[in-house]
Amino acid sequence: MLPRALSRVLPATVRVLSPLASGTASISLSRPAVSLFASPRFPPGLRAFAQEAREAPKHKRRQPQREHVLSETDLAIEPLLATADAAQLQDALANVNLSELTSPMHVRILRTFEKLRDFKALEEYFASMPVRDERAWATVIWGYCIRGRMNTAAQHFERLLASDPKLATSSLVSYILQHLAIQPGRDGEQRLIAALRQVGPAMSAFRLHDHIDCMETFEVKERFVRLMAAIDFPVSSFTVGRLMRAASHSRSVHTAERAMALLVELGLKPDAFCYTTLVEAHARAGEVDQIASVYAKSVADGVEPTALLFAALVTAAGQAKDAAVVTQFLTEADRVLSPEERTAPCLALASMIARGRCGQPQDARREADDLKARGVLPNVRDLFAVIGGGHFGQHERAAGALAARIHKNKHLTPADRKRVLTVDEFDAVVRFVDRLSQS
């Protein structure tokens, strides 16, 4: 092992890749550290150590991200892609063996013709390609969708299904639906929907749901969901719940209720996720006096309550600084939730923050100590659900800084949602609650 003082001054990154007990610990060093150790000023032992690190097997060292390698023919064509003259590019391609071009270069050429709006040249080049993979098909179909030429896009999609239906990926279908939602009523829309209906039931829900979050307006999102239903995609209450979540983020209760009406129109039953989102919409809009009626509606609809639903209710009651209502919802949660849901970290976290906002720091601390004692800290999803479930007034910026410290990106991957907070991160949450209780 290196002395601590030496490790502080050397720009080395040391990583043990196999247990020390086996006597075969492998250590990799950054390039500056290897060069420094190899200097004649260092003892031979350290120079040998550096040489061993330099000659370590490649699979045990961090590999740089691989970039696409261009062929010689690619390099000859690449400068012409920046030209504004499609005819010049066509003349150059006429003297090229297209089989020597790589697949990414074929896609770039197709995109160049599409950007120049020379669809005749695009069609000729696409027909002359030796192999048309999914990216080439998608580039052509997207190009026509972007320009609003849905009839031609439908014609190409029908050809795609006839040649190889496996090339109709979820990403391609999602982008087509997105353009149909953005440009409704175009000629050829029904023909395209009829073609999409052949693959709609087999599409990936994750891809289609992911596109809902990327759209700007609720109207486009709503049309997107209706189109999903039109191509026989199995729309669920979770799908419409994503619409409601977007509405709650914009503090629009009316829009969230429109999404709930769409859910009923599609013959679906609202679930706990939908009602949780509706509670958050009321909380963000400052209408915390409506949350009790939302919960009563969920009970009347026979919705099975969840810890996240009660976490949203408790968070909203804490926003109103109504300790009695906070206690009322926590008591109701103890009554109706299962033992597992009752002890969920998200509910304890919501209770902790609500107690802090109601000026009950001792109760909030008790909740925090209980979570630590049980060794069940909340995960990132729990924290984002509770902090994002309302607004914190003068502490809004501090809440955003806390969320950014724990996860910088506003969008969470499945792995991010499951990541449990570290003790240091949870202590930062506790300090934030203390700050709330002092206001």
Side-chain angles (χ1 to χ4, degrees), residues 257-270:
E257 290 174 342
R258 273 182 59 187
M260 185 76 87
L262 173 62
L263 186 72
V264 177
E265 180 185 333
L266 295 175
L268 300 171
K269 183 179 179 181

Side-chain angles (χ1 to χ4, degrees), residues 153-172:
Q155 180 182 353
H156 280 282
F157 193 78
E158 290 167 354
R159 289 175 54 198
L160 168 63
L161 295 179
S163 62
D164 189 357
K166 293 181 180 179
L167 298 180
T169 62
S170 298
S171 295
L172 173 58

Side-chain angles (χ1 to χ4, degrees), residues 270-272 275 292-305 309 313:
D271 59 5
Y275 278 104
S293 61
V294 173
Y295 174 66
K297 181 85 165 52
S298 71
V299 173
D301 287 345
V303 174
E304 183 177 353
L309 173 58
L313 292 167

Side-chain angles (χ1 to χ4, degrees), residues 170-384:
S170 298
S171 295
L172 173 58
V173 173
S174 297
Y175 276 110
I176 293 174
L177 291 180
Q178 184 175 347
H179 286 298
L180 287 174
I182 294 172
Q183 308 174 70
R186 294 277 185 171
D187 184 35
E189 177 180 312
Q190 294 304 318
R191 181 181 178 182
L192 192 49
I193 291 175
L196 291 169
R197 195 175 291 124
Q198 300 181 45
V199 295
M203 289 297 99
S204 166
F206 174 76
R207 285 290 184 185
L208 269 65
H209 290 156
D210 197 41
H211 274 73
I212 294 177
D213 297 335
C214 300
M215 299 174 193
E216 294 184 0
T217 65
F218 176 81
E219 288 71 20
V220 173
K221 296 174 190 283
E222 184 181 21
R223 282 197 294 268
F224 185 85
V225 173
R226 291 183 184 278
L227 288 168
M228 289 169 65
I231 67 169
D232 296 337
F233 178 83
V235 179
S236 64
S237 57
F238 177 76
T239 307
V240 184
R242 297 288 283 264
L243 276 182
M244 299 179 65
R245 176 60 56 88
S248 69
H249 285 172
S250 62
R251 301 183 181 181
S252 174
V253 177
H254 172 69
T255 308
E257 290 174 342
R258 273 182 59 187
M260 185 76 87
L262 173 62
L263 186 72
V264 177
E265 180 185 333
L266 295 175
L268 300 171
K269 183 179 179 181
D271 59 5
F273 175 68
C274 295
Y275 278 104
T276 300
T277 308
L278 191 55
V279 169
E280 292 175 352
H282 282 289
R284 287 193 175 97
E287 301 175 0
V288 292
D289 56 325
Q290 299 295 321
I291 60 173
S293 61
V294 173
Y295 174 66
K297 181 85 165 52
S298 71
V299 173
D301 287 345
V303 174
E304 183 177 353
T306 62
L308 279 174
L309 173 58
F310 275 101
L313 292 167
V314 169
T315 300
Q319 179 178 311
K321 298 186 178 181
D322 193 332
V325 177
V326 170
T327 303
Q328 176 185 342
F329 280 127
L330 289 174
T331 304
E332 179 70 4
D334 288 338
R335 187 181 70 84
V336 301
L337 291 180
S338 64
E340 183 179 357
E341 290 276 322
R342 200 180 305 150
T343 57
C346 65
L347 185 55
L349 178 64
S351 174
M352 187 175 79
I353 292 180
R355 297 293 188 189
R357 300 184 79 171
C358 292
Q360 299 175 331
Q362 294 181 349
D363 293 337
R365 278 281 182 177
R366 192 179 302 113
E367 292 279 6
D369 294 340
D370 179 62
L371 281 175
K372 283 187 175 181
R374 287 193 288 138
V376 186
L377 297 183
N379 56 29
V380 175
R381 184 203 66 170
D382 297 335
L383 179 69
F384 273 59

